[in-house]
Amino acid sequence: MIANVLDADNLRWLRNNLEQTRFVDGRQTAGREARVVKNNEQVDRGDPLLEEMQELVIDRLLTNALFRMATRPHVVRPPLFSRYEPGMEYGSHVDDAIMGGMRTDVSVTIFLSEPDEYDGGELVIESAAGEQDVKLSAGSAVLYPTTSLHRVAPVSRGERRAAVTWVRSLVRDAGERELLFDLETARHALFERLGKTPELDLLAKTQSNLLRRWAED
């Protein structure tokens, strides 16, 4: 989870634009099986405001150091902007493996509504360890492997708005991305505490060589 991917000005601008955009049935962008359980609305792909909104979100993600460390992005898909009103939900599904000719490795949800603006609407990520309910402050993002089953719980009050996108990573395997993330996090913390040392040079060499081994450009 990454806080403040979008700052207050970004959020204000996006929310103002969303008041002016056309929303259509979200099933238009769902696969055959997901279409059965998808009940939300999304900004029309032909809306004249959409491209600039997408560019802002992608720019804010790619300039976020934590996002880059966690995803090792090669390509970020243009995001969808969704709206859930009372009675809407998105049942359990897995995102498409290929979107627009691109393999998808990491799914990203950026919350555009504050948690107290709606009831329900949690993003529920399913795994062998159980279910994780996610409902973050506006501007915060959650990242999860695109291989995961997940759903959006029914909204019972208010309006849930979010931007959703997908990343093709330079490192396909989620476990390998996690190892690289942990190594880089540890390196940064040790450098802040100790400065440059021979041991840190060895860690940097190890991280670089693992990335070289695992990366697919």
Side-chain angles (χ1 to χ4, degrees):
M1 300 179 190
I2 307 177
N4 302 318
V5 170
L6 302 174
D7 63 25
D9 290 338
N10 300 151
L11 282 168
R12 188 178 305 109
W13 184 82
L14 282 171
R15 288 169 67 125
N16 287 340
N17 278 357
L18 287 171
E19 293 297 330
Q20 304 172 56
T21 54
R22 297 189 304 272
F23 281 84
V24 297
D25 191 332
R27 288 175 292 185
Q28 293 183 9
T29 58
R32 183 177 62 181
E33 295 179 12
R35 194 175 297 123
V36 177
V37 295
K38 187 174 185 180
N39 178 21
N40 70 0
E41 295 178 331
Q42 289 169 180
V43 173
D44 186 348
R45 285 178 288 186
D47 191 285
L49 295 175
L50 179 58
E51 184 176 355
E52 192 174 1
M53 294 165 60
Q54 291 172 327
E55 289 174 353
L56 170 68
V57 170
I58 292 172
D59 177 74
R60 297 305 298 161
L61 286 171
L62 291 177
T63 55
N64 186 285
L66 191 56
F67 173 81
R68 295 196 307 273
M69 284 172 56
T71 66
R72 307 284 166 177
H74 183 50
V75 182
V76 180
R77 289 277 300 163
L80 302 174
F81 293 87
S82 63
R83 176 171 73 184
Y84 292 78
E85 295 181 327
M88 293 184 175
E89 62 181 305
Y90 196 166
S92 184
H93 65 286
V94 63
D95 294 334
D96 290 342
I98 306 293
M99 296 186 187
M102 182 195 91
R103 187 187 74 237
T104 55
D105 300 312
V106 183
S107 298
V108 184
T109 295
I110 304 175
F111 291 80
L112 302 178
S113 301
E114 295 292 354
D116 62 2
E117 293 181 315
Y118 61 101
D119 292 334
E122 295 84 2
L123 173 64
V124 183
I125 303 169
E126 306 174 28
S127 72
E131 295 185 344
Q132 179 185 15
D133 292 1
V134 182
K135 190 173 184 178
L136 303 179
S137 59
S140 297
V142 58
L143 319 177
Y144 49 100
T146 305
T147 54
S148 302
L149 281 167
H150 57 283
R151 64 184 188 272
V152 176
V155 170
S156 58
R157 178 191 65 85
E159 186 174 273
R160 177 195 191 267
R161 295 186 179 188
V164 182
T165 189
W166 297 267
V167 179
R168 178 186 171 186
S169 177
L170 289 166
V171 178
R172 181 193 301 240
D173 184 81
E176 292 169 354
R177 290 196 302 272
E178 182 178 359
L179 286 172
L180 290 167
F181 178 85
D182 289 347
L183 271 173
E184 189 161 359
T185 300
R187 279 182 54 218
H188 289 174
L190 288 171
F191 181 79
E192 290 299 319
R193 188 186 311 166
L194 304 173
K196 191 175 186 301
T197 67
E199 292 80 9
L200 273 171
D201 289 342
L202 187 59
L203 281 176
K205 173 189 170 185
T206 301
Q207 181 189 331
S208 294
N209 287 338
L210 286 174
L211 181 58
R212 187 173 292 109
R213 174 181 292 244
W214 293 334
E216 302 174 7
D217 54 17

mmCIF file of all heavy atoms in Angstrom, residues 97-127:
data_model
loop_
_atom_site.group_PDB
_atom_site.id
_atom_site.type_symbol
_atom_site.label_atom_id
_atom_site.label_comp_id
_atom_site.label_asym_id
_atom_site.label_seq_id
_atom_site.Cartn_x
_atom_site.Cartn_y
_atom_site.Cartn_z
ATOM 1 N N ALA A 97 -5.147 -11.774 -18.209
ATOM 2 C CA ALA A 97 -3.698 -11.935 -18.268
ATOM 3 C C ALA A 97 -3.072 -11.058 -19.346
ATOM 4 O O ALA A 97 -1.923 -10.608 -19.203
ATOM 5 C CB ALA A 97 -3.351 -13.400 -18.529
ATOM 6 N N ILE A 98 -3.815 -10.799 -20.419
ATOM 7 C CA ILE A 98 -3.341 -9.976 -21.522
ATOM 8 C C ILE A 98 -4.339 -8.850 -21.740
ATOM 9 O O ILE A 98 -5.536 -9.090 -21.893
ATOM 10 C CB ILE A 98 -3.199 -10.777 -22.836
ATOM 11 C CG1 ILE A 98 -2.316 -12.013 -22.625
ATOM 12 C CG2 ILE A 98 -2.663 -9.892 -23.954
ATOM 13 C CD1 ILE A 98 -0.861 -11.697 -22.334
ATOM 14 N N MET A 99 -3.874 -7.614 -21.740
ATOM 15 C CA MET A 99 -4.715 -6.456 -22.005
ATOM 16 C C MET A 99 -4.041 -5.597 -23.071
ATOM 17 O O MET A 99 -2.897 -5.165 -22.883
ATOM 18 C CB MET A 99 -4.936 -5.615 -20.742
ATOM 19 C CG MET A 99 -5.687 -6.323 -19.640
ATOM 20 S SD MET A 99 -6.032 -5.182 -18.272
ATOM 21 C CE MET A 99 -6.720 -6.311 -17.062
ATOM 22 N N GLY A 100 -4.745 -5.366 -24.158
ATOM 23 C CA GLY A 100 -4.170 -4.554 -25.228
ATOM 24 C C GLY A 100 -2.854 -5.084 -25.740
ATOM 25 O O GLY A 100 -1.947 -4.325 -26.090
ATOM 26 N N GLY A 101 -2.715 -6.419 -25.774
ATOM 27 C CA GLY A 101 -1.488 -7.038 -26.226
ATOM 28 C C GLY A 101 -0.370 -7.046 -25.204
ATOM 29 O O GLY A 101 0.753 -7.452 -25.511
ATOM 30 N N MET A 102 -0.660 -6.630 -23.955
ATOM 31 C CA MET A 102 0.354 -6.531 -22.907
ATOM 32 C C MET A 102 0.065 -7.522 -21.790
ATOM 33 O O MET A 102 -1.072 -7.630 -21.333
ATOM 34 C CB MET A 102 0.362 -5.101 -22.336
ATOM 35 C CG MET A 102 1.408 -4.851 -21.274
ATOM 36 S SD MET A 102 1.086 -3.309 -20.356
ATOM 37 C CE MET A 102 0.079 -3.919 -18.982
ATOM 38 N N ARG A 103 1.099 -8.272 -21.360
ATOM 39 C CA ARG A 103 0.950 -9.132 -20.196
ATOM 40 C C ARG A 103 0.756 -8.288 -18.946
ATOM 41 O O ARG A 103 1.427 -7.259 -18.774
ATOM 42 C CB ARG A 103 2.204 -10.006 -20.032
ATOM 43 C CG ARG A 103 2.075 -11.060 -18.935
ATOM 44 C CD ARG A 103 3.381 -11.777 -18.685
ATOM 45 N NE ARG A 103 4.320 -10.919 -17.973
ATOM 46 C CZ ARG A 103 5.531 -10.601 -18.406
ATOM 47 N NH1 ARG A 103 5.961 -11.036 -19.569
ATOM 48 N NH2 ARG A 103 6.321 -9.810 -17.683
ATOM 49 N N THR A 104 -0.148 -8.669 -18.073
ATOM 50 C CA THR A 104 -0.385 -7.918 -16.840
ATOM 51 C C THR A 104 0.181 -8.700 -15.656
ATOM 52 O O THR A 104 -0.104 -9.885 -15.484
ATOM 53 C CB THR A 104 -1.887 -7.677 -16.629
ATOM 54 O OG1 THR A 104 -2.584 -8.931 -16.666
ATOM 55 C CG2 THR A 104 -2.445 -6.771 -17.714
ATOM 56 N N ASP A 105 0.987 -8.031 -14.840
ATOM 57 C CA ASP A 105 1.639 -8.662 -13.692
ATOM 58 C C ASP A 105 1.156 -8.101 -12.360
ATOM 59 O O ASP A 105 1.054 -8.833 -11.371
ATOM 60 C CB ASP A 105 3.152 -8.471 -13.774
ATOM 61 C CG ASP A 105 3.750 -9.089 -15.021
ATOM 62 O OD1 ASP A 105 3.425 -10.255 -15.322
ATOM 63 O OD2 ASP A 105 4.534 -8.402 -15.711
ATOM 64 N N VAL A 106 0.914 -6.803 -12.316
ATOM 65 C CA VAL A 106 0.532 -6.128 -11.071
ATOM 66 C C VAL A 106 -0.722 -5.305 -11.327
ATOM 67 O O VAL A 106 -0.789 -4.539 -12.298
ATOM 68 C CB VAL A 106 1.652 -5.200 -10.555
ATOM 69 C CG1 VAL A 106 1.261 -4.576 -9.214
ATOM 70 C CG2 VAL A 106 2.973 -5.962 -10.427
ATOM 71 N N SER A 107 -1.730 -5.482 -10.468
ATOM 72 C CA SER A 107 -2.937 -4.656 -10.512
ATOM 73 C C SER A 107 -2.802 -3.529 -9.502
ATOM 74 O O SER A 107 -2.225 -3.713 -8.420
ATOM 75 C CB SER A 107 -4.178 -5.495 -10.192
ATOM 76 O OG SER A 107 -4.358 -6.526 -11.149
ATOM 77 N N VAL A 108 -3.342 -2.365 -9.845
ATOM 78 C CA VAL A 108 -3.216 -1.171 -9.003
ATOM 79 C C VAL A 108 -4.586 -0.511 -8.874
ATOM 80 O O VAL A 108 -5.237 -0.225 -9.880
ATOM 81 C CB VAL A 108 -2.230 -0.153 -9.612
ATOM 82 C CG1 VAL A 108 -2.044 1.045 -8.678
ATOM 83 C CG2 VAL A 108 -0.897 -0.811 -9.941
ATOM 84 N N THR A 109 -5.018 -0.290 -7.647
ATOM 85 C CA THR A 109 -6.226 0.487 -7.381
ATOM 86 C C THR A 109 -5.833 1.738 -6.598
ATOM 87 O O THR A 109 -5.195 1.633 -5.543
ATOM 88 C CB THR A 109 -7.259 -0.317 -6.574
ATOM 89 O OG1 THR A 109 -7.711 -1.425 -7.354
ATOM 90 C CG2 THR A 109 -8.456 0.548 -6.190
ATOM 91 N N ILE A 110 -6.195 2.902 -7.122
ATOM 92 C CA ILE A 110 -5.983 4.177 -6.414
ATOM 93 C C ILE A 110 -7.346 4.691 -5.979
ATOM 94 O O ILE A 110 -8.236 4.899 -6.814
ATOM 95 C CB ILE A 110 -5.289 5.213 -7.315
ATOM 96 C CG1 ILE A 110 -3.968 4.664 -7.845
ATOM 97 C CG2 ILE A 110 -5.046 6.513 -6.545
ATOM 98 C CD1 ILE A 110 -3.282 5.578 -8.827
ATOM 99 N N PHE A 111 -7.507 4.886 -4.696
ATOM 100 C CA PHE A 111 -8.788 5.345 -4.155
ATOM 101 C C PHE A 111 -8.931 6.851 -4.380
ATOM 102 O O PHE A 111 -8.010 7.619 -4.101
ATOM 103 C CB PHE A 111 -8.887 5.002 -2.671
ATOM 104 C CG PHE A 111 -9.002 3.519 -2.413
ATOM 105 C CD1 PHE A 111 -7.873 2.708 -2.428
ATOM 106 C CD2 PHE A 111 -10.233 2.937 -2.174
ATOM 107 C CE1 PHE A 111 -7.976 1.333 -2.207
ATOM 108 C CE2 PHE A 111 -10.355 1.573 -1.939
ATOM 109 C CZ PHE A 111 -9.216 0.772 -1.964
ATOM 110 N N LEU A 112 -10.101 7.256 -4.882
ATOM 111 C CA LEU A 112 -10.374 8.671 -5.147
ATOM 112 C C LEU A 112 -11.438 9.237 -4.212
ATOM 113 O O LEU A 112 -11.686 10.438 -4.238
ATOM 114 C CB LEU A 112 -10.806 8.851 -6.604
ATOM 115 C CG LEU A 112 -9.813 8.355 -7.665
ATOM 116 C CD1 LEU A 112 -10.388 8.551 -9.061
ATOM 117 C CD2 LEU A 112 -8.471 9.069 -7.538
ATOM 118 N N SER A 113 -12.064 8.388 -3.417
ATOM 119 C CA SER A 113 -13.047 8.816 -2.415
ATOM 120 C C SER A 113 -12.496 8.526 -1.028
ATOM 121 O O SER A 113 -11.790 7.531 -0.819
ATOM 122 C CB SER A 113 -14.373 8.061 -2.592
ATOM 123 O OG SER A 113 -14.922 8.268 -3.866
ATOM 124 N N GLU A 114 -12.822 9.393 -0.079
ATOM 125 C CA GLU A 114 -12.420 9.142 1.304
ATOM 126 C C GLU A 114 -13.272 8.018 1.891
ATOM 127 O O GLU A 114 -14.433 7.837 1.512
ATOM 128 C CB GLU A 114 -12.577 10.406 2.151
ATOM 129 C CG GLU A 114 -11.666 11.553 1.744
ATOM 130 C CD GLU A 114 -10.193 11.289 2.001
ATOM 131 O OE1 GLU A 114 -9.863 10.242 2.603
ATOM 132 O OE2 GLU A 114 -9.374 12.136 1.595
ATOM 133 N N PRO A 115 -12.716 7.240 2.828
ATOM 134 C CA PRO A 115 -13.466 6.109 3.382
ATOM 135 C C PRO A 115 -14.802 6.483 4.013
ATOM 136 O O PRO A 115 -15.746 5.681 3.984
ATOM 137 C CB PRO A 115 -12.506 5.539 4.437
ATOM 138 C CG PRO A 115 -11.150 5.958 3.974
ATOM 139 C CD PRO A 115 -11.342 7.297 3.332
ATOM 140 N N ASP A 116 -14.900 7.702 4.575
ATOM 141 C CA ASP A 116 -16.162 8.076 5.229
ATOM 142 C C ASP A 116 -17.208 8.593 4.241
ATOM 143 O O ASP A 116 -18.321 8.938 4.632
ATOM 144 C CB ASP A 116 -15.917 9.109 6.329
ATOM 145 C CG ASP A 116 -15.322 10.419 5.817
ATOM 146 O OD1 ASP A 116 -15.132 10.553 4.588
ATOM 147 O OD2 ASP A 116 -15.042 11.308 6.643
ATOM 148 N N GLU A 117 -16.865 8.637 2.955
ATOM 149 C CA GLU A 117 -17.821 9.096 1.951
ATOM 150 C C GLU A 117 -18.727 7.977 1.446
ATOM 151 O O GLU A 117 -19.665 8.241 0.691
ATOM 152 C CB GLU A 117 -17.073 9.732 0.774
ATOM 153 C CG GLU A 117 -16.366 11.019 1.136
ATOM 154 C CD GLU A 117 -15.643 11.642 -0.039
ATOM 155 O OE1 GLU A 117 -14.951 10.926 -0.782
ATOM 156 O OE2 GLU A 117 -15.778 12.871 -0.218
ATOM 157 N N TYR A 118 -18.426 6.761 1.826
ATOM 158 C CA TYR A 118 -19.262 5.639 1.392
ATOM 159 C C TYR A 118 -19.142 4.489 2.386
ATOM 160 O O TYR A 118 -18.146 4.351 3.100
ATOM 161 C CB TYR A 118 -18.866 5.177 -0.018
ATOM 162 C CG TYR A 118 -17.443 4.691 -0.159
ATOM 163 C CD1 TYR A 118 -17.139 3.329 -0.190
ATOM 164 C CD2 TYR A 118 -16.370 5.586 -0.273
ATOM 165 C CE1 TYR A 118 -15.839 2.880 -0.326
ATOM 166 C CE2 TYR A 118 -15.066 5.144 -0.411
ATOM 167 C CZ TYR A 118 -14.806 3.785 -0.437
ATOM 168 O OH TYR A 118 -13.524 3.341 -0.558
ATOM 169 N N ASP A 119 -20.188 3.660 2.433
ATOM 170 C CA ASP A 119 -20.183 2.441 3.240
ATOM 171 C C ASP A 119 -20.056 1.244 2.309
ATOM 172 O O ASP A 119 -20.620 1.223 1.207
ATOM 173 C CB ASP A 119 -21.474 2.316 4.057
ATOM 174 C CG ASP A 119 -21.584 3.379 5.138
ATOM 175 O OD1 ASP A 119 -20.527 3.868 5.594
ATOM 176 O OD2 ASP A 119 -22.716 3.727 5.518
ATOM 177 N N GLY A 120 -19.351 0.205 2.789
ATOM 178 C CA GLY A 120 -19.068 -0.929 1.923
ATOM 179 C C GLY A 120 -17.986 -0.550 0.939
ATOM 180 O O GLY A 120 -17.181 0.347 1.174
ATOM 181 N N GLY A 121 -17.951 -1.251 -0.203
ATOM 182 C CA GLY A 121 -17.010 -0.900 -1.255
ATOM 183 C C GLY A 121 -15.573 -1.280 -0.992
ATOM 184 O O GLY A 121 -14.671 -0.802 -1.692
ATOM 185 N N GLU A 122 -15.323 -2.146 0.001
ATOM 186 C CA GLU A 122 -13.945 -2.574 0.244
ATOM 187 C C GLU A 122 -13.429 -3.401 -0.940
ATOM 188 O O GLU A 122 -14.158 -4.181 -1.551
ATOM 189 C CB GLU A 122 -13.855 -3.432 1.508
ATOM 190 C CG GLU A 122 -14.189 -2.709 2.795
ATOM 191 C CD GLU A 122 -15.680 -2.658 3.093
ATOM 192 O OE1 GLU A 122 -16.471 -3.239 2.291
ATOM 193 O OE2 GLU A 122 -16.069 -2.051 4.105
ATOM 194 N N LEU A 123 -12.167 -3.216 -1.258
ATOM 195 C CA LEU A 123 -11.496 -4.114 -2.189
ATOM 196 C C LEU A 123 -11.070 -5.334 -1.382
ATOM 197 O O LEU A 123 -10.314 -5.210 -0.417
ATOM 198 C CB LEU A 123 -10.275 -3.431 -2.812
ATOM 199 C CG LEU A 123 -9.375 -4.317 -3.679
ATOM 200 C CD1 LEU A 123 -10.118 -4.826 -4.914
ATOM 201 C CD2 LEU A 123 -8.104 -3.584 -4.076
ATOM 202 N N VAL A 124 -11.563 -6.497 -1.761
ATOM 203 C CA VAL A 124 -11.279 -7.722 -1.026
ATOM 204 C C VAL A 124 -10.359 -8.585 -1.891
ATOM 205 O O VAL A 124 -10.761 -9.048 -2.963
ATOM 206 C CB VAL A 124 -12.572 -8.491 -0.684
ATOM 207 C CG1 VAL A 124 -12.248 -9.728 0.152
ATOM 208 C CG2 VAL A 124 -13.552 -7.584 0.050
ATOM 209 N N ILE A 125 -9.129 -8.779 -1.415
ATOM 210 C CA ILE A 125 -8.137 -9.568 -2.140
ATOM 211 C C ILE A 125 -8.079 -10.947 -1.504
ATOM 212 O O ILE A 125 -7.856 -11.087 -0.301
ATOM 213 C CB ILE A 125 -6.766 -8.886 -2.105
ATOM 214 C CG1 ILE A 125 -6.871 -7.468 -2.693
ATOM 215 C CG2 ILE A 125 -5.738 -9.707 -2.879
ATOM 216 C CD1 ILE A 125 -5.629 -6.618 -2.456
ATOM 217 N N GLU A 126 -8.288 -11.975 -2.312
ATOM 218 C CA GLU A 126 -8.345 -13.344 -1.822
ATOM 219 C C GLU A 126 -6.994 -14.028 -2.023
ATOM 220 O O GLU A 126 -6.336 -13.828 -3.037
ATOM 221 C CB GLU A 126 -9.434 -14.124 -2.563
ATOM 222 C CG GLU A 126 -10.807 -13.457 -2.508
ATOM 223 C CD GLU A 126 -11.834 -14.155 -3.372
ATOM 224 O OE1 GLU A 126 -11.709 -15.383 -3.584
ATOM 225 O OE2 GLU A 126 -12.762 -13.476 -3.856
ATOM 226 N N SER A 127 -6.599 -14.826 -1.020
ATOM 227 C CA SER A 127 -5.354 -15.588 -1.139
ATOM 228 C C SER A 127 -5.474 -16.835 -0.276
ATOM 229 O O SER A 127 -6.445 -17.019 0.468
ATOM 230 C CB SER A 127 -4.155 -14.741 -0.679
ATOM 231 O OG SER A 127 -4.173 -14.576 0.731
#
